[in-house]
């Protein structure tokens, strides 16, 4: 395996973590004036980076954050999951592989046959734990001791909540709702790489992910193009 192929994922993961930490550090000290657009722009950017943390942890679950280096790969997954609202990587890992093995069945921890909100709350129950909530509460109270309360809420707490919603909607609900004729029981976004990246790091190309789970998120658009050339077009949103 070439050096570039082996460490590109590590470099991208480092960029996301550095971007998340750098923007959070800046935002927590930023003078928040709600009549100006900047707080909302920072909120959206931080939400996108929070989503990137989880997508990176997800890549680590498939061994592609640092291919060929299992310890480094799992370390990246552990750190990114922990930074995303204190998620516990060893707990996420088996659940995600269970999702791939039993997609859209009763054994799939991500799947729920109910309406949107019932499915969303079922999804949250699968992944939110009491120790995680306690860690969030302690961290919240520590941060508000050093930074303005509105900044802590706007740039640390809300982005994590919005990113959870974003990951659920584009990465679980939209791809797997309804009936499917393909083997992955998944739909896919129409080909629009800009929107696919902005919405959820190409994770809306969900059929492509299930078909090639060994591809990192930043290569899913290439698989989308390849399947289009081969005229393999699953149901699109």
């Amino acid at each position: 395996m070439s050096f570039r192929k082996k460490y590109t994922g590590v470099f991208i993961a480092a960029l996301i973590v550095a971007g998340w930490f750098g923007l959070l550090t800046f935002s927590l000290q930023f003078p928040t004036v709600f009549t100006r657009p900047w707080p909302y722009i920072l909120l959206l950017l931080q939400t996108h980076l929070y989503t990137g943390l989880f997508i990176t942890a997800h890549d680590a679950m498939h061994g592609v954050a640092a291919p060929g280096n299992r310890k480094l790969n799992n370390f990246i997954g552990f750190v990114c999951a922990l930074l995303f609202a204190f998620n516990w990587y060893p707990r996420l890992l088996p659940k995600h592989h269970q999702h791939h093995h039993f997609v859209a069945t009763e054994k799939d921890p991500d799947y729920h046959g109910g309406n949107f909100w019932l499915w969303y709350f079922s999804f949250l129950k699968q992944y939110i734990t009491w120790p995680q909530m306690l860690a969030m509460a302690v961290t919240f109270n520590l941060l508000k001791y050093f930074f303005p309360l509105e900044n802590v809420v706007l740039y640390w707490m809300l982005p994590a909540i919005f990113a959870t919603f974003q990951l659920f909607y584009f990465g679980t609900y939209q791809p797997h709702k309804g009936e499917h004729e393909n083997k992955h029981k998944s739909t896919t976004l129409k080909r629009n790489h800009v929107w696919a990246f902005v919405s959820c790091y190409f994770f809306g190309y969900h059929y492509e992910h299930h078909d090639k789970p060994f591809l990192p998120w930043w290569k899913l658009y290439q698989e989308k193009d390849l399947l289009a050339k081969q005229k393999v077009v699953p149901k699109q949103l």
Side-chain angles (χ1 to χ4, degrees):
M1 184 181 295
S2 68
F3 180 88
R4 179 182 176 185
K5 186 176 181 180
K6 189 174 182 180
Y7 290 105
T8 299
V10 178
F11 177 71
I12 291 174
L15 280 179
I16 290 174
V17 171
W20 174 86
F21 182 78
L23 187 62
L24 179 62
T25 302
F26 172 79
S27 299
L28 286 174
Q29 303 174 72
F30 185 78
T32 299
V33 181
F34 289 103
T35 55
R36 295 183 179 180
W38 301 115
Y40 309 102
I41 293 173
L42 290 174
L43 169 63
L44 291 174
L45 288 174
Q46 193 66 20
T47 298
H48 188 66
L49 289 167
Y50 258 104
T51 301
L53 287 177
F54 194 89
I55 293 295
T56 303
H58 164 268
D59 270 4
M61 295 176 205
H62 289 285
V64 297
N69 190 330
R70 186 175 179 180
K71 287 185 178 180
L72 179 58
N73 179 84
N74 289 340
F75 175 75
I76 291 170
F78 182 87
V79 169
C80 288
L82 201 65
L83 292 177
F84 189 104
F86 296 99
N87 279 283
W88 190 246
Y89 182 76
R91 185 172 182 272
L92 297 177
L93 182 60
K95 282 183 174 289
H96 186 66
H97 284 285
Q98 190 177 351
H99 163 66
H100 273 266
H101 291 150
F102 303 105
V103 61
T105 68
E106 291 182 356
K107 294 182 179 180
D108 180 356
D110 293 0
Y111 185 74
H112 191 280
N115 63 31
F116 175 84
W117 290 110
L118 288 175
W119 193 338
Y120 180 59
F121 288 120
S122 172
F123 180 82
L124 292 181
K125 284 194 299 182
Q126 286 290 337
Y127 294 102
I128 295 179
T129 64
W130 286 109
Q132 180 184 1
M133 293 178 67
L134 178 61
M136 289 287 287
V138 171
T139 304
F140 176 81
N141 282 282
L142 285 174
L143 286 174
K144 75 176 187 179
Y145 182 79
F146 295 101
F147 304 104
L149 176 60
E150 61 270 23
N151 287 38
V152 176
V153 172
L154 195 62
Y155 307 124
W156 181 76
M157 187 175 75
L158 285 182
I161 295 172
F162 291 163
T164 300
F165 189 86
Q166 182 179 1
L167 286 159
F168 168 75
Y169 184 79
F170 290 103
T172 298
Y173 177 74
Q174 278 280 44
H176 295 300
K177 69 176 181 177
E179 299 295 327
H180 306 281
E181 297 178 357
N182 60 69
K183 61 183 178 181
H184 301 304
K185 298 179 182 179
S186 175
T187 56
T188 185
L189 286 178
K190 292 182 179 178
R191 184 182 177 279
N192 184 329
H193 297 334
V194 174
W195 172 241
F197 171 71
V198 170
S199 61
C200 202
Y201 290 77
F202 303 118
F203 216 56
Y205 294 159
H206 210 73
Y207 175 92
E208 291 77 3
H209 166 60
H210 275 268
D211 199 50
K212 299 282 174 46
F214 51 83
L215 290 178
W217 68 263
W218 39 274
K219 284 191 175 182
L220 285 174
Y221 78 93
Q222 296 174 345
E223 181 65 14
K224 182 74 171 181
D225 291 342
L226 179 62
L227 290 181
K229 288 180 181 179
Q230 296 174 346
K231 300 189 183 303
V232 177
V233 184
K235 183 180 178 181
Q236 299 186 98
L237 300 173

